[in-house]
Amino acid sequence: MGTQRESGEFVREPLGVAERITADGSSPWPVQAGRYRLVGARACPWANRVIITRRLLGLEDAISLGIAGPLHDERSWRFHLDPGGVDPVLGIEWLREAYEKAVPGYREGVTVPAMVEVASGQVATNEYAALERDLSTQWREFHRAGAPDLWPEPDAIERIGEGIFHDVNNGVYKCGFATTQAAYEKAYRALWARLDELSEHLATRRYLVGDTITQADIRLWVTLARFDAAYHGHFKANRHKLTELPVLWAYARDLFQTPGFGDTIDIEQIKQHYYGVHRSVNPTGVVPLGPDTANWLDPHGRAELGGRPFGDGTPPGPPPAAEQVPPIA
């Protein structure tokens, strides 16, 4: 996942299979319905980004979904929630098996999301940012009727997305895995400066770019959704809880209550993963019982700002029965 510099700063490792799946023949992997299985995990924000994108675009029939459980060790993510501890389509116990089929002797990080070719059982790509964009642009033939445009203003989305990635998505990890006080404080200050900036930006507009949900909102939301459950305490990102930030908390609830967002996460699995796997941060592996999550369903009042969540499109229907998550209680 990452390494530490001598300064104690956390550095995210490069992706080991950074290919693309395209419809135009520009990559070794062609777009083809039924050819690939998206392997994600309910706990992982990087996987959550691609799972939300797939759901909003209605690609469930074209790309199947495998879910690794929240617990793993140095060997990799594993399918411990599936019957027999084996993915029912790929027939593997550890995701590492699919990486090693792609790259014999594979030594890089075994990450989710990973798009796996079903027939060969090998990872085609784990490049999550390219996957997000390619699901929108390369897989159009298989989008549902009414699929939204998640990239209406690509330059603006990438510009705001860069800051979100460095200071928020990755920023919480920089806080949590810092091994010196100076490295931690640097990451902490950058995180909160960016969240303050985003809060001001969202105070007068419902979404980050334009008046519809875009990929930028997906990128920010996956971190906000995990903030109080994991990052505030576990990663010491504790200036405030999300629930103490009126604008960002209302924004996060608005999206949580939008089809395609809250119905893709499992707070219990998020806590099990962060507190149970990161033993360098939480040596006991004890998982907290809190926080209360029923407040995610409280009214958010954000509709008063206008906006059209899906633009000229429509909301996705309910998730397939096999992909449903436990309701917030």
Side-chain angles (χ1 to χ4, degrees):
M1 179 175 61
T3 57
Q4 267 74 30
R5 292 188 176 129
E6 288 185 12
S7 64
E9 293 177 88
F10 169 78
V11 180
R12 189 163 291 279
E13 293 176 346
L15 295 166
V17 193
E19 292 282 0
R20 290 180 60 206
I21 299 171
T22 59
D24 58 12
S26 62
S27 75
W29 298 102
V31 164
Q32 186 179 337
R35 180 165 180 166
Y36 307 98
R37 183 164 176 80
L38 173 64
V39 176
R42 298 296 182 194
C44 175
W46 315 96
N48 198 184
R49 287 164 49 161
V50 178
I51 289 171
I52 291 170
T53 304
R54 168 183 172 271
R55 174 130 164 65
L56 295 181
L57 298 175
L59 288 166
E60 292 95 337
D61 290 339
I63 305 168
S64 68
L65 179 66
I67 295 293
L71 302 178
H72 63 75
D73 58 23
E74 69 281 354
R75 284 172 288 185
S76 78
W77 294 89
R78 59 191 177 96
F79 299 95
H80 63 92
L81 299 182
D82 285 309
V86 171
D87 180 87
V89 172
L90 301 175
I92 57 176
E93 180 181 2
W94 302 89
L95 183 54
R96 173 170 290 281
E97 296 173 55
Y99 276 85
E100 289 177 340
K101 283 184 180 178
V103 183
Y106 185 78
R107 292 287 180 268
E108 306 295 335
V110 175
T111 61
V112 288
M115 196 80 97
V116 181
E117 184 184 40
V118 175
S120 67
Q122 70 182 69
V123 172
T125 180
N126 67 342
E127 172 50 283
Y128 56 88
L131 267 173
E132 289 173 352
R133 192 161 198 150
D134 288 342
L135 289 182
S136 283
T137 58
Q138 302 295 317
W139 288 80
R140 265 200 195 104
E141 177 187 354
F142 301 104
H143 288 185
R144 66 178 175 87
D149 180 3
L150 299 176
W151 292 91
E153 299 178 55
D155 290 345
I157 291 168
E158 289 292 7
R159 191 162 50 246
I160 200 166
E162 274 291 297
I164 291 170
F165 169 77
H166 289 294
D167 298 332
V168 181
N169 299 147
N170 205 35
V172 290
Y173 285 81
K174 293 177 189 177
C175 289
F177 290 122
T179 56
T180 66
Q181 189 68 30
Y184 163 70
E185 291 184 11
K186 178 182 177 182
Y188 177 98
R189 292 191 179 99
L191 166 67
W192 284 104
R194 185 69 63 183
L195 288 176
D196 287 344
E197 176 186 290
L198 291 165
S199 180
E200 183 177 351
H201 181 81
L202 287 164
T204 56
R205 66 195 85 197
R206 192 170 179 186
Y207 305 113
L208 287 170
V209 178
D211 67 348
T212 65
I213 292 168
T214 69
Q215 207 73 44
D217 297 294
I218 296 171
R219 291 178 182 184
L220 176 59
W221 187 81
V222 297
T223 296
L224 297 182
R226 290 158 175 77
F227 203 88
D228 287 3
Y231 305 143
H232 176 271
H234 183 59
F235 278 175
K236 309 180 188 72
N238 60 355
R239 194 190 78 181
H240 291 95
K241 295 177 182 175
L242 176 65
T243 53
E244 296 168 344
L245 303 170
V247 172
L248 292 178
W249 174 222
Y251 167 81
R253 294 201 312 282
D254 184 5
L255 289 175
F256 180 90
Q257 295 170 32
T258 299
F261 286 82
D263 55 25
T264 66
I265 65 167
D266 185 318
I267 299 293
E268 287 306 310
Q269 287 193 34
I270 288 169
K271 291 190 298 184
Q272 289 165 8
H273 171 71
Y274 282 95
Y275 287 93
V277 170
H278 299 154
R279 293 304 179 98
S280 65
V281 179
N282 184 42
T284 64
V286 172
V287 178
L289 292 177
D292 177 33
T293 56
N295 51 5
W296 277 99
L297 300 177
D298 289 350
H300 52 75
R302 296 280 295 177
E304 298 172 4
L305 295 172
R308 303 173 302 141
F310 299 99
D312 296 328
T314 58
E323 296 181 16
Q324 292 178 3
V325 298
I328 286 289

